[in-house]
Amino acid sequence: MKTLGYLGLGVMGYGMTGNLIDKSGCDIYGYDPVPALRERFAARGGKVLDDAKTLYKTCDIIFMCLPTNAIVKATITEIMETARPGTTIVDMGSTSPYVIQELHAAAVEKGFHLLDSPVSGGETGANGGTLVIMCGGEKEVFDEVRPYLLMMGKTATYMGPSGCGSTAKVANNMMVGIHLCAMGEAFAFAKKAGLDPQTLFDAIKGGFAQSAVMDGKVPKLLSRDFSASARIAVHLKDINNAMDVAAHLRVELPMTEIVKEQMDWMDARGMIDEDQCALAKYYEDAMGVEIK
């Protein structure tokens, strides 16, 4: 039986570790620099470690969900300086494909295994174990880790070599971002035109416009609940990763550029850490309405 560890016990990590605790039959070791998150993890049944390096030395498989490319790079580099060769590292955050490929090359050289395994499904999916997981790396490493991934997600799909999971996540969040902006524009327009937004939602949610984005985000928007189950800041990281990949591929992403413009607008106004549904504020501001 493998020894499992998890780095990053925030909104997503807490839900994912909860499922590992319930389903794996293993002790799940965890670390987060925030004491309150460590305490919450311990109350859930996790084994808290007081420093990250002890986790690196203890665990055969180290899962992580960390917020930025820089933190991911620094953490994986530190793991490879501290842990036993042969340790498997599974990055479940939204990391640039180019960053993960660079780290993967270093891991191979030093005798470690690294999978990029980003997820889609937000806090609801993390808590419910219904995430969609997209994986890049060696197929044999994926096959070894897949049973644990399926404790956290409803699907775990092997996408190809290193970076392919991260690229799939970029494509996923390009579409989610476009849909969020379309939703905000449509509901602000409807409010401006005199429709009741709740009635509109009830009328169209079973039609062709229905999606997980609309079903999950419109109720939060209508209740003016901008507490983050998925922060715009994290989504903007994916959008910036998309623009970086597009520059390397020498292609244009006109719709994704619109998403970036609107997320940058939120950032400039101090709202970047609000929930994704708050993107509708861009259209509310432009049209002089409030969707509620």
Side-chain angles (χ1 to χ4, degrees):
M1 185 174 290
K2 299 292 185 181
T3 304
L4 307 181
Y6 204 105
L7 296 169
L9 304 173
V11 169
M12 297 298 291
Y14 178 71
M16 286 189 270
T17 53
N19 280 288
L20 286 175
I21 290 165
D22 291 343
K23 300 172 185 177
S24 69
C26 305
D27 287 337
I28 307 301
Y29 294 90
Y31 176 76
D32 194 287
V34 179
L37 298 181
R38 296 199 300 270
E39 292 170 9
R40 185 176 67 163
F41 171 72
R44 182 69 177 77
K47 303 293 183 181
V48 174
L49 296 173
D50 292 331
D51 65 272
K53 288 187 177 181
T54 301
L55 186 145
Y56 305 159
K57 295 174 183 177
T58 301
C59 298
D60 302 308
I61 302 175
I62 301 171
F63 299 94
M64 63 173 64
C65 192
L66 303 175
T68 70
N69 290 326
I71 292 173
V72 168
K73 186 172 183 177
T75 300
I76 292 178
T77 299
E78 186 177 67
I79 290 172
M80 292 189 293
E81 292 171 349
T82 308
R84 301 182 301 272
T87 299
T88 297
I89 307 163
V90 185
D91 177 20
M92 305 192 76
S94 300
T95 304
S96 162
Y98 300 117
V99 170
I100 208 71
Q101 287 170 338
E102 177 187 341
L103 290 166
H104 180 267
V108 170
E109 182 179 340
K110 295 180 179 181
F112 291 84
H113 308 295
L114 175 60
L115 290 180
D116 45 298
S117 300
V119 304
S120 181
E123 182 180 16
T124 299
N127 290 337
T130 58
L131 294 168
V132 170
I133 307 175
M134 302 149 272
C135 302
E138 288 82 6
K139 179 64 162 55
E140 60 271 22
V141 180
F142 167 76
D143 289 339
E144 180 184 11
V145 173
R146 185 172 182 267
Y148 302 112
L149 297 176
L150 289 176
M151 296 173 192
M152 297 179 276
K154 63 182 176 182
T155 62
T157 304
Y158 180 68
M159 303 301 301
S162 177
C164 289
S166 293
T167 302
K169 171 67 172 181
V170 168
N172 178 86
N173 271 20
M174 287 167 63
M175 289 185 278
V176 171
I178 291 163
H179 199 159
L180 285 163
C181 291
M183 182 191 81
E185 181 179 73
F187 274 83
F189 161 80
K191 178 75 173 186
K192 188 72 172 181
L195 295 183
D196 175 66
Q198 181 68 59
T199 303
L200 174 64
F201 176 60
D202 292 339
I204 68 174
K205 66 182 180 181
F208 206 45
Q210 184 179 26
S211 71
V213 171
M214 187 172 75
D215 289 352
K217 297 303 181 181
V218 169
K220 282 179 69 70
L221 175 61
L222 295 180
S223 65
R224 312 304 290 175
D225 175 12
F226 301 118
S227 60
S229 61
R231 292 187 296 134
I232 296 171
V234 176
H235 199 144
L236 179 57
K237 179 179 67 170
D238 293 313
I239 297 302
N240 286 329
N241 286 341
M243 302 309 296
D244 185 42
V245 174
H248 280 81
L249 297 176
R250 298 183 181 179
V251 298
E252 295 184 357
L253 302 175
M255 298 183 75
T256 302
E257 287 177 2
I258 292 171
V259 176
K260 177 172 168 52
E261 174 189 323
Q262 295 178 17
M263 289 185 173
D264 286 342
W265 185 92
M266 297 290 290
D267 192 11
R269 286 155 182 79
M271 297 183 284
I272 197 67
D273 288 319
E274 294 186 4
D275 188 79
Q276 293 160 311
C277 71
L279 277 170
K281 292 181 180 181
Y282 177 92
Y283 294 99
E284 291 180 333
D285 181 78
M287 298 187 198
V289 296
E290 190 175 76
I291 304 165
K292 63 179 182 178

